[in-house]
Amino acid sequence: MKFNFTGPFLAGLAKVVAGSSVRWVDSHPDTCQRIYFANHTSHIDAVIIWASLPKHCRELTKPVAAKDYWDRGWFRRYLARSLNAMLIDRENIKVHRSPVESMLKEIGDKYSAIIFPEGSRNDGTNLRDFKSGLFYLAKKRPDLELVPVYVDNMTRILPKGEYLPVPLLSRVIFGPPIWLENGEPKTDFLVRAREAVSRLRDV
């Protein structure tokens, strides 16, 4: 991966803006391939999580972002490239080019990813039901560690509809990895994964 100065600058800026307190609960930073899956409350969630990883992990982690948002305008595209983000098309989904297949192709056997299984942002109080993408990622790549992440206070730092963040104290909590159990139904797995994120709120 090419080194760029914008990525480290954004990581530092995110820490200043969010004042993130980072905790690892029964887990620790590692360069093994992982899917970090988190609650979603603002457009900068992915940046905050990415910035919370140590540099050696950050360089091997790709935030997944909505193409319809991050591909609008040169500045957003530039930021997405600086973060080494995967832009996923949520509007023109085709069977032979599904978001899951695109993600698996992008990460290959090297990169980790940051995803938001709720799909759209919640109101900061309750998590939405998880969509099926996380299940199919786990099914197609059972070797990947699935690490739950809870991001707290982002609705106050960048409220929905606003463009400029307000510096406040946030928390980023990484939990213990989970895996898809043999024969586990999709619905049961998605409920379990959602609960894994939700439990971190009270840590």
Side-chain angles (χ1 to χ4, degrees):
M1 183 177 68
K2 289 184 178 180
F3 180 82
N4 69 80
F5 291 99
T6 309
F9 172 77
L10 287 174
L13 180 62
K15 291 176 182 178
V16 170
V17 169
S20 301
S21 169
V22 181
R23 289 188 61 190
W24 293 80
V25 179
D26 297 325
S27 184
H28 61 276
D30 200 301
T31 55
C32 67
Q33 273 195 289
R34 289 172 161 174
I35 300 294
Y36 297 98
F37 63 99
N39 60 311
H40 193 20
T41 57
S42 83
H43 282 306
I44 61 173
D45 288 338
V47 180
I48 296 300
I49 295 170
W50 182 80
S52 298
L53 295 169
K55 182 176 181 292
H56 65 286
C57 296
R58 200 163 60 230
E59 291 175 343
L60 294 173
T61 302
K62 290 174 170 279
V64 173
K67 184 176 181 180
D68 54 282
Y69 178 83
W70 287 99
D71 202 32
R72 287 196 311 225
W74 69 268
F75 185 64
R76 290 183 188 177
R77 286 195 294 270
Y78 176 73
L79 290 180
R81 285 195 302 270
S82 299
L83 296 169
N84 204 23
M86 288 185 271
L87 299 186
I88 300 299
D89 194 336
R90 301 184 298 183
E91 298 176 344
N92 300 309
I93 298 174
K94 298 180 181 178
V95 175
H96 66 281
R97 197 176 61 197
S98 70
V100 169
E101 294 297 337
S102 297
M103 280 186 261
L104 291 175
K105 183 177 179 181
E106 282 269 355
I107 66 174
D109 60 359
K110 179 179 180 181
Y111 291 101
S112 294
I114 300 169
I115 71 170
F116 302 96
E118 293 171 280
S120 57
R121 289 172 288 163
N122 64 55
D123 61 5
T125 56
N126 295 306
L127 274 69
R128 297 176 183 271
D129 290 339
F130 280 10
K131 297 185 180 300
S132 59
L134 180 62
F135 171 79
Y136 290 114
L137 283 170
K139 191 171 183 179
K140 290 176 179 290
R141 287 290 305 274
D143 58 305
L144 296 176
E145 287 191 358
L146 311 175
V147 177
V149 186
Y150 186 78
V151 185
D152 192 19
N153 213 27
M154 292 308 298
T155 49
R156 293 176 59 198
I157 291 173
L158 188 66
K160 193 169 184 177
E162 298 296 329
Y163 297 94
L164 295 176
V166 179
L168 288 169
L169 183 63
S170 69
R171 295 189 305 151
V172 181
I173 306 162
F174 296 85
I178 68 171
W179 288 267
L180 176 66
E181 301 291 343
N182 188 32
E184 185 175 17
K186 178 176 69 174
T187 302
D188 292 355
F189 169 77
L190 293 175
V191 169
R192 183 164 64 90
R194 181 179 178 274
E195 290 175 349
V197 174
S198 185
R199 276 196 300 271
L200 297 175
R201 175 167 40 192
D202 300 321
V203 171

